[in-house]
Amino acid sequence: MKQVTDHVYHVGDSGCSVFLIDTHPEDGLILIDCGMSLEMIKKSITKSGLNPRDIQHCILTHFHIDHIGACHDLKMYNQNVKFYAHELDAKAIEEKGHDQKTAASWYSVDYIPVSLEKKITQEKEILHFGNYDFQCIHTPGHTPGSICVYIEIDNKNILFGQDIHGPFYPAFGSSLEDYQKSMNKLLGLEIDILCEGHFGIFRPSEEVYKYIKRHMNLNKP
Ligand SMILES: [Zn+2]
């Protein structure tokens, strides 16, 4: 597990990049997406001297299989884990039969649904874990219910922007118009560190700005 900054870690990559925030002692470990392999998560967290049984909450940024594939295994391993996602992406996470949307058919994966503890419904909604406010910002575009998670930790503003690069397909319910609006929302934030879902970690804020702008220019309606 690689440290991103104090209390924030890049667990590893299995499908997507999985990130972890350590809120000990109050709410244990929080995951941003869970990727496709519980084994990767368990190994990586254990190696760093933390306990994967301490995972209490997992915020899902959207319904794609490479971000949610390990949810069921994680729940079987640790019944305490609670999942969160936007209501517009909720059905594909909680029900079977959305393999086009989740891209499970493309990955030839048999997705087993999990229940969400809470659905994000607002433009911006805060989940409190430990001493931190996890701001879930609705950023549709890649999928209708895509969210980015924004937190301030030790005077650093971190954005977990999984898949803000796209891609955009009708089967996902993508919208380039929504995407441009969503990215403009992000450009209005102070972001010191961007943790992306497939392309790594960007800092300082100028690099984050450039990254978002570049993808906006590549993905005009
Ligand atoms: Zn995706």
Side-chain angles (χ1 to χ4, degrees):
M1 207 157 68
K2 273 197 208 120
Q3 188 162 27
V4 176
T5 184
D6 285 351
H7 310 289
V8 181
Y9 301 87
H10 174 210
V11 180
D13 304 292
S14 70
C16 73
S17 297
V18 177
F19 295 98
L20 178 150
I21 299 95
D22 183 1
T23 75
H24 271 113
E26 282 157 69
D27 283 308
L29 307 175
I30 318 298
L31 288 187
I32 307 291
D33 289 337
C34 64
M36 298 178 81
S37 165
L38 175 65
E39 281 314 303
M40 183 283 283
I41 293 171
K42 274 162 58 179
K43 262 191 205 156
S44 175
I45 294 178
T46 307
K47 242 187 173 174
S48 301
L50 294 171
N51 187 347
R53 298 243 179 230
D54 289 342
I55 299 170
Q56 307 250 327
H57 306 278
C58 178
I59 304 175
L60 301 169
T61 60
H62 63 293
F63 57 39
H64 281 149
I65 193 71
D66 48 331
H67 297 253
I68 65 171
C71 284
H72 177 74
D73 288 348
L74 182 59
K75 187 73 182 174
M76 291 297 103
Y77 171 69
N78 179 356
Q79 291 289 326
N80 295 326
V81 177
K82 298 181 173 78
F83 296 100
Y84 306 82
H86 193 276
E87 65 173 351
L88 293 176
D89 275 23
K91 265 195 174 178
I93 296 168
E94 293 191 302
E95 293 173 2
K96 270 200 162 291
H98 301 274
D99 290 354
Q100 292 273 324
K101 267 190 185 169
T102 63
S105 46
W106 195 67
Y107 280 81
S108 304
V109 168
D110 182 23
Y111 174 66
I112 305 175
V114 291
S115 297
L116 297 169
E117 175 72 12
K118 183 181 160 73
K119 297 177 184 87
I120 307 295
T121 58
Q122 309 296 316
E123 180 69 21
K124 198 190 282 179
E125 211 162 313
I126 294 175
L127 302 172
H128 299 278
F129 300 132
N131 292 322
Y132 307 121
D133 284 345
F134 289 70
Q135 268 191 51
C136 300
I137 303 168
H138 187 207
T139 49
H142 176 54
T143 70
S146 285
I147 57 169
C148 288
V149 182
Y150 184 61
I151 50 173
E152 188 193 328
I153 290 191
D154 302 317
N155 298 318
K156 286 224 161 54
N157 295 313
I158 305 164
L159 185 82
F160 299 95
Q162 305 278 66
D163 292 14
I164 59 171
H165 63 278
F168 305 90
Y169 296 117
F172 300 165
S174 299
S175 159
L176 288 173
E177 284 83 9
D178 287 351
Y179 172 71
Q180 293 288 329
K181 281 185 211 149
S182 296
M183 293 307 103
N184 274 321
K185 243 189 257 181
L186 298 183
L187 291 178
L189 301 171
E190 297 256 341
I191 305 167
D192 298 308
I193 304 171
L194 165 67
C195 297
E196 226 272 357
H198 297 271
F199 290 104
I201 295 159
F202 297 83
R203 67 180 117 194
S205 52
E206 297 76 45
E207 290 304 313
V208 178
Y209 184 87
K210 263 200 269 176
Y211 181 85
I212 296 172
K213 268 283 182 196
R214 184 154 59 86
H215 286 280
M216 286 177 79
N217 286 331
L218 286 170
N219 297 294
K220 291 204 166 127

